[in-house]
């Protein structure tokens, strides 16, 4: 059934993934006369609740630190078992009365209480959202939710913020309980024909180290499976200089390790001071930031779950990665996006660059012969279509281009991006007030990555310990070299010994 199993690593990743799942839930249709344009079996798993009723829940594994789940209960009402009035076995072991100490549960928002009551909830405000579970519209299987008690969310005593901390945490958990086998394998074994793995992971904190080790374990387990990584980064405009440098080093280490294991890595971050008109994102709100990043990730991957009419072949994550990874070594891609009227302008690339890799640096080349070369481009245009149009999507691909010509794969669909009541008001564009907007995303493997890697390498080299510096510098150099033109000269590379 071409299933995709999702892996969510970290707090910001769970914010983005919550928007993703809310969007998927909105595609469900409940009328026999209406068929959804999206194949729900790809990301959702069928099951049976404790009362024997059918369930349909996200096929995902969610990791977060202690305190990161908010008011979300591990066991939702679908899987809740009514406790017996008296447990004879327990009574025989302990004749006295047990003393039960329970921590007071975190109160849920009115938004969640309205959803539970089946009442249409009101729109949320940024000040209302404390955790990603506050605006979640879906239930999760109890096995999907994994809380890591070794660290606490937003702890000032022992913050979870260094790449090495994440790698060490994964190693200790893997030795103690084999978490990949415990948490991941049950969802994979349910699949008939898994097309790939989708990973949401932050790059600029300790979760980058955790993700790198997790990806290495997944690659050992599934050597030929497509692993698609959305690498997320938090805004740094209000972050102190030392913290910014730490995040930069974490990002470089995470990219180096993720690109060595994943089939495709797409860094995503809110542009610094270059957000187009009609888009207003509060950098201090993870709810706002994640909404923008989720719009890009959900739209760019949409064609992997669309129903294609007629004799069209379905597009898998592996097909998408192959379009971008032309040489076999290009596992990193840039993301651009346009929202609103700009998204439906013909023959125009999206104007918003979401692929931040390092900080802009004066004097570093951003152009040249290599930066103008595009090896592969993957586009998705969600715009209003004709009423009589029968197909859900049209896909065009040039699989065998001439040498030096860009590999292009495009998807056009009439399915607009929905603006739900759980979504912040970051877009002023609303097509005829219908609660949905056009979106145009473009993933590209191009020569600008050469200079982004060179820039990132020069910035992080002084921040890394001498023991790790050589491997990191060599790894980033190899990543950048994969996007060099075969005929380009090395005389203008401006590479200094680091």
């Amino acid at each position: 059934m071409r299933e995709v199993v999702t892996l969510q690593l970290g707090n910001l990743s769970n914010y983005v993934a919550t928007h993703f799942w809310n969007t998927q839930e909105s595609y469900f249709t409940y009328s026999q006369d209406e068929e959804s344009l999206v194949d729900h079996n790809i990301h959702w798993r069928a099951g049976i609740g404790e009362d024997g009723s059918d369930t349909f829940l996200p096929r995902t594994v969610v990791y977060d630190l202690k305190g990161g789940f908010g008011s979300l209960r591990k066991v939702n009402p679908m899987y809740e078992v009514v406790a017996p009035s008296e447990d004879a076995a327990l009574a025989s072991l302990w004749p006295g009365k047990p003393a039960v100490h329970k921590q007071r549960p975190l109160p849920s928002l009115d938004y969640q209480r309205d959803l539970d009551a089946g009442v249409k909830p009101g729109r949320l405000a940024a000040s209302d959202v404390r955790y990603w579970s506050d605006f979640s519209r879906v239930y999760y299987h109890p096995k999907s939710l994994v809380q890591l008690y070794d660290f606490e969310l937003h702890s000032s005593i022992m913050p979870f913020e260094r790449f090495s901390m994440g790698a060490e945490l994964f190693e200790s958990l893997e030795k103690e309980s084999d978490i990949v086998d415990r948490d991941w394998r049950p969802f994979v074994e349910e699949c008939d024909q898994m097309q790939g793995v989708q990973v949401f992971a932050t790059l600029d904190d300790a979760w980058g180290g955790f993700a790198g080790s997790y990806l290495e374990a997944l690659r050992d387990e599934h050597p030929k499976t497509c692993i698609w990584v959305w690498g997320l980064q938090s805004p740094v405009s209000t972050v102190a200089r030392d913290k910014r440098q730490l995040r930069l080093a974490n990002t470089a280490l995470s990219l180096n390790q993720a690109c060595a294991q994943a089939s495709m890595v797409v860094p995503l971050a809110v542009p610094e001071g270059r957000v187009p008109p009609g888009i207003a994102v509060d950098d201090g709100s993870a709810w706002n930031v994640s909404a923008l990043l989720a719009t890009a990730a959900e739209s760019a991957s949409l064609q992997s779950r669309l129903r294609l009419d007629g004799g069209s072949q379905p597009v898998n994550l592996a097909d998408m990665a192959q379009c971008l990874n032309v040489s076999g070594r290009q596992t990193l891609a840039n993301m651009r996006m346009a929202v609103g009227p700009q998204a439906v302008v013909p023959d125009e690339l999206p104007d918003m660059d979401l692929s931040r890799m390092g900080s802009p640096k004066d004097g570093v080349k951003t152009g040249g012969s290599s930066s103008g070369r595009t090896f592969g481009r993957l586009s998705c245009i969600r715009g209003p279509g004709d009423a009589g149009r029968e197909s859900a999507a049209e896909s065009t691909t040039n699989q065998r281009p001439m040498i030096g010509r860009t590999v292009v794969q495009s998807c056009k669909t009439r399915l607009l991006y929905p603006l739900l009541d759980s979504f912040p008001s970051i877009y002023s564009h609303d097509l005829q007030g219908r609660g949905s907007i056009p979106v145009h995303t473009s993933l590209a493997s191009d020569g600008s990555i050469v200079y982004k890697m060179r820039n990132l390498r020069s910035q992080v080299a002084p921040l890394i310990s001498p023991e790790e510096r050589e491997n990191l510098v060599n790894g980033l150099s190899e990543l950048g070299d994969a996007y060099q033109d075969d005929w380009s000269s090395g005389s203008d590379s401006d590479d200094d010994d680091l």
Side-chain angles (χ1 to χ4, degrees), residues 122-277:
R123 295 196 69 91
L124 289 165
S127 57
D128 297 330
V129 178
R130 308 156 299 174
Y131 305 92
W132 55 266
S133 60
D134 288 339
F135 61 95
S136 175
R137 297 179 57 90
V138 302
Y139 283 133
Y140 294 92
H141 191 277
K143 289 185 178 180
S144 288
L145 306 177
V146 184
Q147 187 167 195
L148 305 181
Y149 294 93
D150 303 70
F151 293 87
E152 189 169 358
L153 184 68
H154 304 317
S155 172
S156 58
I157 300 175
M158 192 168 58
F160 195 58
E161 60 181 8
R162 292 187 178 275
F163 179 91
S164 58
M165 298 172 69
E168 292 169 1
L169 176 61
F170 178 87
E171 183 179 356
S172 65
L173 293 174
E174 184 69 1
K175 286 182 179 179
E176 178 183 345
S177 56
D178 194 1
I179 62 172
V180 175
D181 191 67
R182 181 196 68 188
D183 304 333
W184 176 261
R185 187 179 295 276
F187 290 92
V188 176
E189 290 179 344
E190 293 177 342
C191 300
D192 294 330
Q193 188 178 4
M194 185 175 69
Q195 65 163 293
V197 179
Q198 175 181 237
V199 181
F200 291 97
T202 47
L203 302 176
D204 55 2
D205 57 13
W207 284 107
F210 191 91
S213 300
Y214 211 118
L215 290 174
E216 187 175 356
L218 290 183
R219 183 52 74 198
D220 290 340
E221 192 81 13
H222 310 282
K224 295 184 179 180
T225 300
C226 178
I227 302 178
W228 192 286
V229 178
W230 303 107
L232 312 173
Q233 300 170 74
S234 301
V236 294
S237 56
T238 59
V239 177
R241 184 175 181 271
D242 58 335
K243 296 292 185 181
R244 185 186 291 241
Q245 290 179 338
L246 176 59
R247 291 189 182 185
L248 194 63
N250 290 335
T251 300
L253 292 166
S254 300
L255 282 175
N256 185 42
Q257 189 163 357
C259 289
Q261 304 297 335
S263 306
M264 185 55 56
V265 179
V266 182
L268 293 176
V270 176
E272 293 186 44
R274 296 185 295 275
V275 178

Side-chain angles (χ1 to χ4, degrees), residues 54 73 78 96 125 139-140 167 202-203 236 245 275 301 321 329 341 357 365 369 458 464 472:
D54 294 333
R73 298 168 56 191
M78 293 182 180
Y139 283 133
Y140 294 92
T202 47
L203 302 176
V236 294
Q245 290 179 338
V275 178
S301 61
R329 300 184 300 123
M357 288 177 264
K365 289 176 61 176
S369 60
S458 64
I464 304 297
L472 178 61

Side-chain angles (χ1 to χ4, degrees), residues 329-340:
R329 300 184 300 123
Q330 298 163 330
T331 56
L332 195 61
N334 288 322
M335 166 72 84
R336 301 185 70 88
M337 181 176 69
V339 177

Side-chain angles (χ1 to χ4, degrees), residues 332-334 357 444-454 480 483:
L332 195 61
N334 288 322
M357 288 177 264
S445 55
D446 56 55
S448 67
I449 297 178
V450 175
Y451 301 103
K452 289 182 178 180
M453 288 297 99
R454 188 175 300 156
Y483 299 86

Side-chain angles (χ1 to χ4, degrees), residues 23-58:
T23 304
Q24 305 315 303
E25 189 268 344
S26 71
Y27 296 147
F28 278 92
T29 56
Y30 302 95
S31 173
Q32 296 181 352
D33 300 331
E34 186 180 4
E35 184 181 20
S36 174
L37 302 181
V38 173
D39 185 356
H40 304 298
N41 292 309
I42 292 177
H43 282 283
W44 298 75
R45 58 176 298 279
I48 300 177
E50 290 296 332
D51 59 353
S53 61
D54 294 333
T55 64
F56 215 42
L57 304 176

